[in-house]
């Protein structure tokens, strides 16, 4: 069997491939150049920051491809028209980044209620100033839009701080650490109760631009928005206006519409906005979790068993 691996990780993962089956590895670089004949390759394990041009070159070179594993949780960048024309099983990295992203979300929240930006400023000015208004998380309400793998990890940590946790799901049901889980069309009704709103849902045609002017109008003036999903879910111009007019207390964005964010973007200048460079999922353990999931699925594939994390390409996740 032939397996296509990205050059970035091939040397690390090859020694751990199943020994029971003869596996021929074809390596592909970030531009889609392959170091061998992939016409009969069955499996493709892509890597982060996969370009559509690279993906399409691999598809053209591997007409016999049956299964593609992507390390990302979000696969909107993969589901191109050309990709959807192929009858491929697609699996993703849902759950791999849950722990580091959840920790980052709690960091954003604590930085806001404990006024860390203000204290960093006072520190830089050599000022000992008491009386900075602080708050606590106990009894605050958190709404997690997308109670999937990442959302569940966030809820675990929020509950430790005594927060009330709401969530939304395509198939709502009672979940551990959630006080209430509603359907995808019902979460807006909970916005007037939320102190913090976290976007943890995939980018799909249904979620694109859903944090718009009408949605932001439902936020409390003291609420705080956090986006660790995809930039396209938020209407950036409407968010900028809401922040400039102090219609919400602030926001933290780990992902934006255009990445890298251009230096001239007005987002940089908003004092009540924290921007991080789409790195909330970074951790030394992320790569190993990614490898473990792929290798488990590869064993399942070779044994003809159902794969984990199969993406519903119609739903987009």
């Amino acid at each position: 069997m032939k397996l296509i691996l990205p050059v970035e990780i091939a040397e690390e993962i090859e020694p751990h491939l199943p020994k029971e089956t003869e596996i021929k590895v074809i390596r592909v670089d970030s531009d889609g150049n392959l170091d061998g004949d992939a016409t009969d390759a069955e499996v493709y394990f892509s890597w982060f920051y996969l370009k559509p041009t690279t993906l399409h070159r691999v598809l053209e070179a591997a007409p016999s491809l049956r299964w593609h594993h992507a390390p990302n949780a979000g696969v909107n960048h993969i589901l191109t028209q050309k990709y959807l024309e192929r009858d491929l099983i697609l699996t993703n990295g849902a759950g791999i980044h849950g722990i580091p992203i959840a920790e980052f979300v709690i960091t954003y929240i604590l930085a806001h209620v404990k006024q860390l930006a203000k204290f960093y400023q006072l520190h830089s000015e050599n000022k000992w100033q008491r009386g900075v208004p602080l708050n606590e998380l106990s009894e605050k309400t958190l709404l997690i839009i997308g109670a999937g793998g990442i959302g569940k990890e966030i809820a675990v940590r929020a509950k430790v701080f005594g927060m009330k946790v709401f969530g939304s799901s395509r198939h709502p049901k009672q979940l551990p650490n959630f006080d209430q889980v509603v359907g995808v069309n019902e979460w807006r009704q909970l916005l007037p109760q939320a102190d913090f709103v976290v976007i943890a849902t995939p980018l799909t045609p249904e979620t694109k631009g859903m944090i718009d002017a009408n949605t932001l109008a439902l936020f409390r003036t003291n609420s705080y928005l956090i986006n660790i999903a995809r930039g396209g879910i938020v209407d950036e111009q409407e968010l900028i206006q809401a922040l400039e007019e102090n219609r919400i207390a602030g926001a933290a964005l780990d992902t934006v519409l255009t990445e890298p964010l251009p230096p001239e973007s007005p987002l940089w200048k908003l004092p009540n906005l924290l921007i991080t460079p789409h790195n909330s999922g970074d951790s030394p353990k992320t790569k190993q979790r990614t490898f473990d999931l792929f290798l488990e699925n590869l064993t399942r594939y070779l044994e003809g068993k159902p794969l984990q994390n199969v993406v519903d390409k119609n739903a987009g996740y």
Side-chain angles (χ1 to χ4, degrees), residues 20 46 57 66 69 105 108 118-119 122 127 134 145-146 149 153 159 165 193 201 216 268 275 281 295 316:
E20 298 79 11
S46 62
R57 288 190 68 179
R66 297 176 58 195
H69 180 75
V105 167
Y108 293 135
K118 178 63 176 178
F119 287 117
L122 293 172
K127 289 183 179 179
L134 304 178
I145 304 173
E153 293 288 352
K159 271 298 173 188
V165 182
Q193 302 179 55
T201 190
L216 288 166
W268 291 113
I275 297 172
L295 291 170

Side-chain angles (χ1 to χ4, degrees), residues 3 14 17 42 45 65 77 124 186 229 236 269:
L3 163 65
E14 282 185 50
L17 296 176
E42 295 181 33
F45 179 13
L65 206 62
H77 64 298
S124 67
E186 300 173 284
E236 285 187 359
K269 299 186 182 300

Side-chain angles (χ1 to χ4, degrees), residues 134-191:
L134 304 178
N135 215 317
E136 59 185 56
L137 300 189
S138 179
E139 300 183 1
K140 290 290 188 291
T141 298
L142 169 64
L143 170 59
I144 303 171
I145 304 173
I150 293 172
K152 291 172 185 174
E153 293 288 352
I154 296 169
V156 170
R157 288 151 182 80
K159 271 298 173 188
V160 172
F161 285 93
M163 301 185 78
K164 187 174 185 178
V165 182
F166 296 148
S168 71
S169 174
R170 189 181 180 194
H171 304 290
K173 61 182 179 181
Q174 187 56 50
L175 295 172
N177 303 300
F178 285 86
D179 294 277
Q180 184 180 1
V181 180
V182 300
V184 293
N185 296 317
E186 300 173 284
W187 55 265
R188 287 178 178 83
Q189 301 170 22
L190 300 175
L191 286 172

Side-chain angles (χ1 to χ4, degrees), residues 101-148:
I101 290 179
E103 292 177 350
F104 229 114
V105 167
I106 297 299
T107 300
Y108 293 135
I109 293 174
L110 286 171
H112 175 64
V113 299
K114 302 304 182 185
Q115 295 269 25
L116 291 190
K118 178 63 176 178
F119 287 117
Y120 277 123
Q121 176 192 336
L122 293 172
H123 184 143
S124 67
E125 297 171 355
N126 299 344
K127 289 183 179 179
W128 179 277
Q129 179 179 318
R130 298 179 63 86
V132 175
L134 304 178
N135 215 317
E136 59 185 56
L137 300 189
S138 179
E139 300 183 1
K140 290 290 188 291
T141 298
L142 169 64
L143 170 59
I144 303 171
I145 304 173

Side-chain angles (χ1 to χ4, degrees), residues 53 128 176 197 201 218 256 269 287 302:
T53 52
W128 179 277
V197 179
T201 190
L218 299 173
V256 291
K269 299 186 182 300
K287 181 184 285 188
L302 295 172

